[in-house]
Amino acid sequence: MRYTRMLLTALSLAIVALAITGCDTSATFPFDYDTVWNAAVGEAIVWKPDLIYDDKHPYRVCCTRTDLSGKTEIKYDLEVTKDINPFARRPSTKVSVSMRRTKPSRVRFTQMEKDFLEKVAERLMLSPPPE
């Protein structure tokens, strides 16, 4: 009985933590790594990113935008990784995107994230197949 109560408490705390922090919106595409990276960066370039990949995160785009008064801040984050699902079609690449307002209050823009992933999918479908 005590073990069940501890397990339920831990599970509820994990759910609350996920609700507070939120998860990135992601999609998996049946294309090779470089093709998906080029399409994702092509869509993310409108953010005017501060960082396009670094040593620790080789396929990542980050951007922080503030208004002129500095009262509103929005953070954009894009990461392209290899899909680790062994049952997925190969090649398979995962794109994760996060768009959040951090000032004056925390708001996550999930619809904008989904729209971004749809644009990446359209760009991939319109691109010519690799030779």
Side-chain angles (χ1 to χ4, degrees), residues 39-107:
V41 169
E43 287 299 320
I45 206 71
V46 298
W47 299 342
K48 298 179 184 170
D50 304 331
L51 172 73
I52 299 179
Y53 64 85
D54 60 359
D55 295 335
K56 295 180 183 176
H57 306 285
Y59 287 90
R60 186 174 203 168
V61 176
C62 297
C63 176
T64 303
R65 298 180 84 181
T66 58
D67 63 351
L68 294 176
S69 65
K71 292 182 180 179
T72 305
E73 179 179 82
I74 299 177
K75 291 189 178 187
Y76 301 91
D77 193 15
L78 167 75
E79 189 167 8
V80 178
T81 57
K82 292 183 180 177
D83 188 13
I84 58 172
N85 181 0
F87 302 107
R89 288 178 39 194
R90 294 290 176 226
S92 184
T93 306
K94 180 179 175 184
V95 177
S96 301
V97 64
S98 170
M99 298 177 187
R100 292 181 168 87
R101 183 177 72 200
T102 56
K103 280 185 184 177
S105 60
R106 298 181 74 77
V107 177

